Amino acid sequence: MTADVLVVAPILTRQMTQLEATYRLHRLDRAADRDAFLAEVGDRIEAIVTTGTAGASADVMGRLPNLKVVGCMAVGVDAVDLPYARSRGIAVTNTPDVLNDCVADTAMGLLIASMRKLVLSDRYVRDGSWVAKGPMPLTTSLRGKTLGILGLGRIGMAIARRAEPFGLTIVYHTRRKRDDVAYPWYADLVAMARDVDILLAILPGGPETRRIVSREVIEALGPTGTFVNVARGSVCDEPALIEALASGKLGAAALDVFEDEPRVPDALIRMDNVVLAPHVGSATVETRDAMSQLVVDNLAAHFAGRPLLTPV
Ligand code: A2R
């Protein structure tokens, strides 16, 4: 029997084609009247396909009495209401590991772009400043600096491995010290921020980590410090960040994620000491293809009665 699947947000076209060939898809993402749409098809839905941004709210899942599984194309599932899913025994799958390299590449790119002012350099050539003003002011070397990684998991480790050959010293903060790495561990995030040149966040979003990069952490990082965020906008106190960047209490920031995406505060857009990216950590053709395939393969496992490949 063909199962009914609700598309809260689509995955890549190649995998949407696979889903269309296997299931009856119901496109909530295209519904003009979402309430009416859910009222009509809700009873039949057994699975959800969604993305890290769109997630799956308790409100939507609550309209689907036969929902069994959520396939989320992201490693971070903070937009899926996990406590609600758990309370109903709804399985949730994510897409870990396949995105480690690309997110780590993005993180290093942002870090280098910020410290070596690559975005400003580009502008300097294009707007004629090179001709008008001569050489650009000097920037800051990576070699010899200390990088504090907030969240040394799968992606954090991929970042650490890339950062080493750049001559960065690596330290980290997590809740539990890892016994399989030699990098110094800080039990206290503020203490780490005080000791490092760069603080890079790559930990899950959600209530537990909300604004963990607090005003205190930002100010401990200090006037010569750089903050890189490739985690979630929610992990940083964005108003405090903006204030610190504007007042010189923090040196610079490179941000791929924001509190209210896709809206980015004007203050950040106007700052020269900030590098911005539109949440593109994993956004390559190859990685998104692998992530989309993992969503499809998890649903296939569920409907075949096999163990899920990557349950949350
Ligand atoms: O705290 P631990 O020992 O469980 O270490 C995890 C750390 N972490 C935290 N660190 C400090 N305070 C917290 N409240 C906290 N919660 C979690 O984040 C671990 O070192 C790391 C998460 O690693 P993984 O689970 O392997 O996640 P992965 O694949 O590296 O992705 C991290 C996040 C995603 O959730 C997305 O939000 C973002 O990267 O793309």
Side-chain angles (χ1 to χ4, degrees):
M1 229 183 63
T2 309
D4 290 85
V5 174
L6 184 73
V7 179
V8 172
I11 53 178
L12 290 201
T13 309
R14 194 169 80 82
Q15 285 78 16
M16 287 303 291
T17 307
Q18 295 174 30
L19 292 174
E20 273 156 20
T22 318
Y23 310 106
R24 241 185 324 271
L25 296 191
H26 303 276
R27 301 291 302 255
L28 183 63
D29 60 312
R30 291 179 178 166
D33 181 341
R34 289 167 62 95
D35 272 343
F37 187 81
L38 288 172
E40 192 192 320
V41 303
D43 285 356
R44 283 179 266 151
I45 302 296
E46 290 179 66
I48 280 180
V49 166
T50 190
T51 60
T53 306
S57 64
D59 180 48
V60 168
M61 290 190 279
R63 313 280 295 271
L64 316 173
N66 293 307
L67 181 66
K68 303 284 184 309
V69 62
V70 175
C72 182
M73 185 186 64
V75 64
V77 288
D78 43 299
V80 177
D81 194 322
L82 291 180
Y84 177 82
R86 227 166 263 139
S87 76
R88 274 194 40 204
I90 298 164
V92 177
T93 67
N94 66 346
T95 61
D97 286 316
V98 294
L99 44 52
N100 294 354
D101 284 334
C102 271
V103 179
D105 290 350
T106 304
M108 286 309 295
L110 285 171
L111 193 166
I112 297 167
S114 178
M115 297 195 60
R116 299 299 306 275
K117 301 206 187 309
L118 295 183
V119 179
L120 283 184
S121 294
D122 179 275
R123 201 190 305 157
Y124 203 80
V125 174
R126 288 176 201 270
D127 71 7
S129 292
W130 196 12
V131 174
K133 303 181 195 165
M136 217 177 98
L138 301 182
T139 63
T140 306
S141 171
L142 273 68
R143 188 156 295 277
K145 302 293 187 300
T146 300
L147 168 65
I149 302 182
L150 168 56
L152 193 70
R154 291 167 294 227
I155 303 172
M157 278 302 294
I159 294 169
R161 280 194 294 270
R162 281 161 175 71
E164 279 193 57
F166 283 92
L168 289 160
T169 298
I170 291 143
V171 301
Y172 71 102
H173 168 73
T174 50
R175 288 166 300 183
R176 283 171 299 275
K177 185 180 186 305
R178 290 182 64 136
D179 48 23
D180 58 342
V181 300
Y183 306 130
W185 174 72
Y186 281 79
D188 179 37
L189 178 56
V190 176
M192 181 170 87
R194 210 176 286 131
D195 286 357
V196 301
D197 302 290
I198 307 144
L199 175 68
L200 188 153
I202 183 66
L203 77 174
E208 232 190 280
T209 57
R210 189 176 146 70
R211 296 197 167 176
I212 186 170
V213 180
S214 62
R215 181 180 302 272
E216 199 187 357
V217 170
I218 292 164
E219 291 183 3
L221 193 52
T224 60
T226 298
F227 174 57
V228 182
N229 193 356
V230 281
R232 287 286 183 264
S234 64
V235 308
C236 175
D237 183 340
E238 206 169 77
L241 178 72
I242 291 169
E243 256 181 69
L245 286 164
S247 67
K249 284 184 178 165
L250 178 67
L255 309 169
D256 187 39
V257 288
F258 305 89
E259 272 192 345
D260 185 26
E261 295 173 11
R263 281 161 291 277
V264 174
D266 274 342
L268 288 175
I269 288 173
R270 286 194 303 268
M271 286 175 186
D272 277 349
N273 52 346
V274 176
V275 176
L276 303 168
H279 200 153
V280 292
S282 67
T284 64
V285 171
E286 296 84 352
T287 291
R288 286 289 166 82
D289 184 72
M291 293 163 72
S292 295
Q293 196 58 51
L294 198 42
V295 172
V296 171
D297 294 348
N298 268 304
L299 288 201
H302 167 81
F303 285 109
R306 295 192 307 264
L308 297 170
L309 303 172
T310 50
V312 173

